[in-house]
Amino acid sequence: MNYDYEVEEPVSLSMNPYTGAWTQAEAAHLLRRTLFGPTYQQIQDTVTNGMAASVSQILNPIAVGTPEVVSTDEAVATMGGTWVSSPLPSTNQAVTENARRNSLAAWIMQRLNTSSYSIQEQMCLFWQNHFAAEFTFDSRATYNYHEVIRTHCLGNFKQLVKDITIDPCMLVFLSGTENNKFDPNENFARELFELYTIGKGPQIGPGDYTNYKEEDIQEAAKILTGWLALGLGSDTDNDTYAQFEPLLHDETTKTLSEHFDNAVINPNGANEYADLIDTIFLQDEVANFICRKLYRWFVNYDLTTTVENTVIVEMANTFRTNNYEILPVLSELFQSEHFYDVALRGAIIRNPLEHLFSIFNSTHSVPNYTTPENYALYEFAYGVAATTGMSYAQPPSVGGWTAYYQAPSYSQLWVNSTYVKLRFNVSDWLTLAGGFTAGGNNLEVNHLDFLDNLSVPADPNAVIDDMILVFCPKGLDIVKRTTLKTILTNGLPDFEWTIQYNDYANDPGNPTFADPVEQRVALTLSQLFKMPEFQTI
Amino acid sequence: MKRRSFVKNVSLASFGVPFVFRNTQYEAIAKKLFNVPKNNEDRVLVLIRLNGGNDGLNTVVPLDGYDNLMIQRPNVILPENDLIPVVGDNGFHPVMTGMASMINDGKLSIIQNVGYPEQNRSHFRSMDIWTTGMMDPNITTGWLGRHFEVDHPDYPDGYPNSTFEEPFAISMGYELSATCQGTQANFSHSVVDPTDSTSLPNTGGTNDGTYYGDHMEYLEGIIAQSNQYGQEISNAAGQGNNMSTLYDANNPLAMQLKDVALMISGGLKTKVYVLNVNGFDTHDNQVIDGATTTGTHADLMKQVSDAVHAFQDDIDQLGLSDRVAGMTFSEFGRQIASNASEGTDHGDAAPLFLFGNCLNTTLYGDNPVIPDTVVDQAGLPMQIDFRDVYASVLKDWFGVDETTVQGLFEHTVTFHNIIGACNLSTEEQSLSSSTGISMVYPNPCSSKSTVKLDGDGSEVKIVLYNTLGERMSVIYEGILSKATHHIPFEMDEFSRGSYVVKIMRADSTESVSLIKI
């Protein structure tokens, strides 16, 4: 193993619109980076519709429902309804809260198990990694925090920062509720600069991190004093909410350092936090900081000097010109020459959620039971994703998941000697061993539906080509391709597969024909899912 | 017996008393002891995480505070008559018979009131603090990960290799312990079944010179590493053995510890094993109403106590006693007062257990003080920083030098004299009592302490000295029968600082340092 050798840099650093060939390979690249696992048909549609129309469609938000009550442990809201605006019970709150947390986790997993042609879930996870708050002790607040993210995930970043700053979940997570004029708490103020907006530059003097100083943190903490998170744990309030308490607010005039042009923030009560954020956003570095993170998430972990001086400059310029609207930046990026450069294909190792849900989504595998039964399976999926290294709504630290910031390994951190074994176990489980089981129901790869929707299911060569297109960003060499085809056809001549498939297609309900076909696909996919090529996007 | 750490107490600046002990015999030993002992290279540490925040006050009950506990926690308090009396006016939860017998054998140590400043009561954040050993929220490396990284900064690049064929650490179960997280990779390898020798298919990867190609090469290497570690582990498990009959097949922790003993006895060179027990977040139904010795917490503590006892029994029978030590940890203790749901809420400090054959004491630190009035949300204040417990284990168990240990932490480390009683060469051991290790507990102490020693039917004189070598009191003088004796003595009248308890016999002299706080 060697981590540090020179790799070939992209040929094109241009953000001009990509004008090269628009083939399955480019379409699949776009979808692998923006969805949680495209289907074969989605790749074909993307080829047909062309780049501009496809990108435009992907950048549309989609509607989602609300998490449902599926457990009798819920003591207030009714079964089948939602709990997100129901108070907690007066007694045994932990039981109800636990049911709600499970419901929330299952609901998020359900959202990822989607064939929707939208970047929305990738953006939600991106912002969850950016504003890396954890589950609070009241799932209504956790849900609301995720709703703030979802509402703005493709909208205005400045507004997102403002809303997150006074979000009850965040106020609890970073001690905002303990920040008052008598006893200022710098916890949130520090992360506002360091992680959320402008980023920490090199230390160039005592308490001076290039982009901000320790004294800015102190002043910001004072500006942010006076916010309370109310309704958490309440058995009367329907919702959790933030409230400004003037008596706890520091009403002095605050002055930021020269990194913010010595900006003066005058007393402005409940709107003072917004004044602070507006002031921070006057600095060009905010756009640079966020665009670097978007680049790492969607393009490549390696921010070389040349990328920094070209791509990032361009992206940040677009971001500022559009008053921190996120959509124009992504639209430009996903249509750029740089994004489609072949040297960047497969440059990212799938995170555990991408690993799990691309296996499901690309094979049309969705549980079709009652909502409580589906949720039980999704709770299971949540646990599996957590075991393989990624618990949604519970990032490992306030900085998010290490794979998105930890040099030099970055996404290689998702696969260590243990996780690789777990990944292989999971994919074997889903293909060969009946899948996840909860309450007597299964969630496994839908082999036959996947097969039936490929280009020419009766032709084993086409089946293998299509599988590789869907799952492997840079194809497979001839040896591996042959290995897979030998597994699919059981080493028999191609026509034997064709006969077997046609027999099944003519009588799909007959297990005599269906079972052998299903088994061959399962064996082939299980092998494919254990190849290094599949681990990348 | 504690001369190594005894001499090193020079660095215990926090107690403010310069240590000078005028005895040439000990100075000679001291010089030798400043060198890292050679016998720690094959040492193993077993860490058991009690996940959720263990209720220390229903685990180790301070009997001197029992009346006030009655006031504070009527809904969960354990009946006084049911408690198992252990050292220093403490009583164990009645299910902890296994651990109580280990205390009697000197193989379990209670470290009182362990925590950290400004306790964070979030499970997640507090567990981060306990696993990283750092208060800085941006640190993601674990304390053991940083320890391994000192000698292996490039890990996992180039590992395993011919010198290090085996994983540095093993996490039992699927979750890799955050304590072993390094900068680039976790130093632990997860083991569910050590006898599993199946290999992953390694189809290989071609490096085409792109980022993708880099990943192909990396993944090929990581699959090979997984297979190689798996092979070493299953080989060791195949050659290993278990001797104890105390393992209960229905006790999940015991079965995991049994596997750990199997791997160690099979010759696996792994230094750290991490295990996990969930369920300690006992906000409600910690006890069964009206029968407080039963319920969730009783089941958990029985599991832990029985498992650790069986493991120690196995390790002893396997002849591995001087190589294996263990420690429990939990992200916080629970509040002093019980709640209305037969439970307890997130609190602050709590006791921590060390176990093994090389402990310096069976009780370290004072019993927690229980106020007679309920203060809303009050937890127990911390007295001993868990990071200093880690630091002391690294120094005295793994033999890491003090400067290196300090470099692994952000706070100024204070070393505690808690483990490493086996850190003596044969020559030094011959100077000591032939009948076994003597102990002074609690240590540090406040008003009184106790000497525990084995008698051999001959004359013994036990004297307390101050650091200037002045005699403070005679603790005991006379013949001690062939048994283990516990001899209490008063410290009330002496000022705070370092002392020495000297145990003199006809053929040997032993000294134990004692701190009064």
Side-chain angles (χ1 to χ4, degrees), chain B residues 55 63 96 109 133 142 167 220 236 279 383 429:
Chain B
D55 185 14
L63 298 174
M96 295 167 63
S109 178
E220 183 183 11
Q383 187 181 35
Q429 278 171 352

Side-chain angles (χ1 to χ4, degrees), chain B residues 175-210:
Chain B
E175 185 183 339
L176 292 182
S177 173
T179 60
C180 299
Q181 182 65 46
T183 306
Q184 298 185 43
N186 194 298
F187 279 86
S188 73
H189 177 83
S190 95
V191 171
V192 175
D193 174 7
T195 63
D196 175 13
S197 58
T198 53
S199 279
L200 303 177
N202 201 347
T203 58
T206 309
N207 191 341
D208 63 1
T210 65

Side-chain angles (χ1 to χ4, degrees), chain A residues 1-3 5, chain B residues 156-160 217-223 225:
Chain A
M1 268 179 286
N2 189 334
Y3 296 85
Y5 55 82
Chain B
D157 189 4
Y159 293 84
E217 192 171 326
Y218 168 79
L219 288 162
E220 183 183 11
I222 214 78
I223 294 168
Q225 188 191 65

Side-chain angles (χ1 to χ4, degrees), chain A residues 128-417:
Chain A
Q128 153 81 106
N129 180 63
H130 184 76
F131 299 107
E134 297 163 339
F135 283 112
T136 56
F137 59 90
D138 187 329
S139 286
R140 295 175 299 168
T142 315
Y143 169 79
N144 288 336
Y145 156 83
H146 284 281
E147 277 302 281
V148 169
I149 282 179
R150 194 182 61 78
T151 306
H152 298 293
C153 71
L154 289 163
N156 189 282
F157 175 61
K158 198 198 286 189
Q159 192 58 47
L160 174 57
V161 173
K162 288 180 183 176
D163 288 3
I164 284 286
T165 298
I166 56 166
D167 175 76
C169 181
M170 185 56 85
L171 286 170
V172 170
F173 177 61
L174 288 180
S175 317
T177 53
E178 293 162 38
N179 183 22
N180 59 65
K181 71 173 174 183
F182 308 107
D183 191 10
N185 185 307
E186 297 171 356
N187 208 357
F188 179 83
R190 182 174 299 278
E191 307 309 357
L192 178 64
F193 292 104
E194 181 177 339
L195 297 175
Y196 298 159
T197 58
I198 201 164
K200 193 175 185 173
Q203 188 162 357
I204 52 173
D208 188 341
Y209 310 111
T210 307
N211 302 330
Y212 62 92
K213 290 180 158 184
E214 282 291 332
E215 63 192 67
D216 293 314
I217 294 171
Q218 290 163 10
E219 292 293 282
K222 289 184 203 166
I223 291 167
L224 295 164
T225 49
W227 286 92
L228 304 174
L230 299 178
L232 281 89
S234 167
D235 59 359
T236 52
D237 290 323
N238 288 334
D239 289 299
T240 60
Y241 56 101
Q243 184 169 298
F244 181 71
E245 178 47 69
L247 292 175
L248 297 174
H249 181 66
D250 184 324
E251 290 183 326
T252 59
T253 297
K254 296 88 176 175
T255 308
L256 301 181
S257 73
E258 68 269 24
H259 296 312
F260 299 93
D261 305 316
N262 302 308
V264 173
I265 309 285
N266 290 309
N268 194 15
N271 293 317
E272 213 174 297
Y273 78 97
D275 297 343
L276 168 67
I277 290 162
D278 286 337
T279 305
I280 295 172
F281 273 69
L282 292 174
Q283 299 303 313
D284 282 358
E285 188 56 25
V286 173
N288 297 339
F289 181 65
I290 301 308
C291 289
R292 284 184 202 112
K293 288 195 92 165
L294 286 167
Y295 186 88
R296 285 222 158 102
W297 191 278
F298 288 108
V299 185
N300 186 16
Y301 60 88
D302 192 11
L303 276 169
T304 62
T305 313
T306 44
V307 168
E308 176 74 35
N309 292 335
T310 53
V311 178
I312 301 299
V313 168
E314 189 95 9
M315 287 173 73
N317 195 36
T318 302
F319 204 19
R320 283 187 293 266
T321 310
N322 287 280
N323 191 27
Y324 298 100
E325 289 291 331
I326 296 151
L327 210 134
V329 178
L330 295 178
S331 179
E332 181 185 36
L333 179 65
F334 296 138
Q335 298 185 69
S336 68
E337 275 186 23
H338 181 69
F339 181 76
Y340 292 101
D341 194 296
V342 75
L344 295 171
R345 307 265 171 91
I348 299 172
I349 292 184
R350 290 175 198 273
N351 70 39
L353 289 166
E354 286 163 343
H355 174 260
L356 183 60
F357 284 99
S358 58
I359 290 176
F360 285 137
N361 294 341
S362 295
T363 60
H364 323 123
S365 308
V366 180
N368 285 312
Y369 307 101
T370 64
T371 302
E373 289 171 327
N374 290 342
Y375 272 37
L377 287 163
Y378 284 128
E379 271 182 44
F380 202 111
Y382 181 92
V384 170
T387 303
T388 51
M390 204 173 194
S391 343
Y392 208 114
Q394 208 165 309
S397 83
V398 69
W401 283 278
T402 52
Y404 294 107
Y405 65 83
Q406 186 69 66
S409 305
Y410 295 99
S411 66
Q412 291 180 350
L413 291 168
W414 292 125
V415 186
N416 58 33
S417 66

